[in-house]
């Protein structure tokens, strides 16, 4: 279990607290808000987000933190860690915009929860995102259970997306993949197939990106270890892409 220390946001000069630099190496810090004494748990990574804070012992900290408080602080830290992805996100949005406005389509793939995230992303284009506009082609490659079963049975499960990229993809299309580990063999095969057939690709990845890192045209890597937090961050990034693109799509509706 991670260790817990009790600290409170305050002014080190007034409270005799330690500095950011002295405490940033602790594995986990339990930090209390100065107003209301409501504790939240943050990780060592968070100290890069709050460089101006100093910390002093918190005498009223309740160590029995709820699951909700831990999850909330973990989710906030993960979202804050995405600040450095803006350049890649804008590149990804540019590929999606060029693809759809050029009369091409999106192909989207993922496994399990990542398949569901991919379904949401494709739906934002074929249905709508924010306000009425014409539909644009976005095909989710995990949606056809019969086709997935046939390819998995007749060939191999690692081929379930690559074979569809071969069937449906053409230069100008964009493959969008989701993998929290970056290790899924069928995602790796899909990325390789897309490259071989002249498709651009966007990869929503987690942790260190795994073997998938560098395979896509653009990587969006959420550098977290908890799968749920990675998926939540993927949803945020995907919706940011939709926001960047949607206005231009409405102009041709």
């Amino acid at each position: 279990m991670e260790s817990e220390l009790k600290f409170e946001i305050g002014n080190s000069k007034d409270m005799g607290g330690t500095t950011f630099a002295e405490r940033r190496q602790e594995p986990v810090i339990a930090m209390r808000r100065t107003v209301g004494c409501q504790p939240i748990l943050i990780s060592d990574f968070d100290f890069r987000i709050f460089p101006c804070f100093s910390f002093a012992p918190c005498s009223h900290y309740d160590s029995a933190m709820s699951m909700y408080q831990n999850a909330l602080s973990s989710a906030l830290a993960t979202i804050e860690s995405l600040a450095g992805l803006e350049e890649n996100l804008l590149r990804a949005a540019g590929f999606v915009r060029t693809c759809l406005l050029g009369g091409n389509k999106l192909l989207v793939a993922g496994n399990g929860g990542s398949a569901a995230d991919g379904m949401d992303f494709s739906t934002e284009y074929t249905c709508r995102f924010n306000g009425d506009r014409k539909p644009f082609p976005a095909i989710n490659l995990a949606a056809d259970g019969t086709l997935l079963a046939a390819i998995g049975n007749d060939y191999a499960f690692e081929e379930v997306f690559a074979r569809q990229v071969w069937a449906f993809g053409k230069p100008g299309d964009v493959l969008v993949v989701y993998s929290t580990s970056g290790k899924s063999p069928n995602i790796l095969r899909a990325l390789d197939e897309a490259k071989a057939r002249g498709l651009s690709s966007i990869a929503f990845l987690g942790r260190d990106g795994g073997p998938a890192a560098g395979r896509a045209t653009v990587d969006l890597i959420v550098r977290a270890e908890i799968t749920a937090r990675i998926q939540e961050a993927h949803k945020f990034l995907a919706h940011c892409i939709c926001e960047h693109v949607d206005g231009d799509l409405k102009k041709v509706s």
Side-chain angles (χ1 to χ4, degrees):
M1 178 178 292
E2 294 174 313
S3 61
E4 293 184 358
L5 298 177
K6 301 173 184 177
F7 287 88
E8 175 178 299
I9 296 177
N11 185 296
S12 60
K13 187 173 182 180
D14 296 334
M15 303 176 66
T18 55
T19 66
F20 159 71
E22 292 167 337
R23 284 296 174 188
R24 64 181 300 174
Q25 298 303 320
E26 297 293 350
V28 171
I29 301 297
M31 183 178 75
R32 192 185 75 184
R33 297 181 188 274
T34 54
V35 178
C37 293
Q38 177 63 38
I40 63 172
L41 189 66
I42 63 172
S43 68
D44 174 60
F45 181 82
D46 294 75
F47 288 104
R48 292 192 286 275
I49 304 169
F50 305 106
C52 60
F53 291 160
S54 296
F55 298 88
C58 173
S59 57
H60 302 290
Y61 173 73
D62 181 1
S63 61
M65 292 187 63
S66 71
M67 179 190 68
Y68 174 77
Q69 290 168 329
N70 280 306
L72 178 60
S73 60
S74 174
L76 290 171
T78 302
I79 294 298
E80 288 283 0
S81 76
L82 306 179
L85 291 181
E86 185 173 11
E87 182 178 348
N88 275 13
L89 186 135
L90 291 175
R91 288 185 63 214
F95 280 113
V96 171
R97 182 187 295 108
T98 300
C99 168
L100 297 179
L101 292 181
N104 297 295
K105 61 185 172 294
L106 303 177
L107 302 176
V108 188
N111 295 287
S114 292
D117 288 339
M119 287 181 181
D120 176 70
F121 188 66
S122 57
T123 298
E124 306 290 16
Y125 297 99
T126 306
C127 183
R128 67 176 190 174
F129 176 66
N130 183 20
D132 191 38
R133 57 158 168 74
K134 67 174 286 187
F136 288 85
I139 302 173
N140 192 285
L141 305 184
D144 189 335
T146 301
L147 181 56
L148 294 174
I151 298 173
N153 182 68
D154 293 353
Y155 295 93
F157 191 70
E158 68 184 58
E159 295 296 319
V160 295
F161 299 136
R163 195 162 182 83
Q164 293 185 74
V165 171
W166 183 5
F168 303 134
K170 64 178 182 179
D173 293 343
V174 174
L175 173 67
V176 181
V177 300
Y178 286 77
S179 176
T180 59
S181 67
K183 298 178 181 179
S184 302
N186 54 14
I187 293 297
L188 300 178
R189 276 286 298 118
L191 287 170
D192 291 345
E193 191 69 29
K195 184 175 182 180
R197 298 193 174 276
L199 280 69
S200 299
S201 55
I202 300 166
F204 290 86
L205 305 173
R207 298 177 172 84
D208 63 356
R215 267 182 158 95
T217 312
V218 182
D219 287 342
L220 294 169
I221 303 176
V222 178
R223 298 190 182 279
E225 295 298 323
I226 300 174
T227 298
R229 300 292 87 84
I230 297 169
Q231 291 174 329
E232 291 154 5
H234 282 172
K235 181 82 75 175
F236 172 80
L237 292 169
H239 285 166
C240 283
I241 291 174
C242 293
E243 289 185 41
H244 275 288
V245 172
D246 206 51
D248 291 326
L249 300 184
K250 287 178 179 177
K251 292 176 183 178
V252 299
S253 297

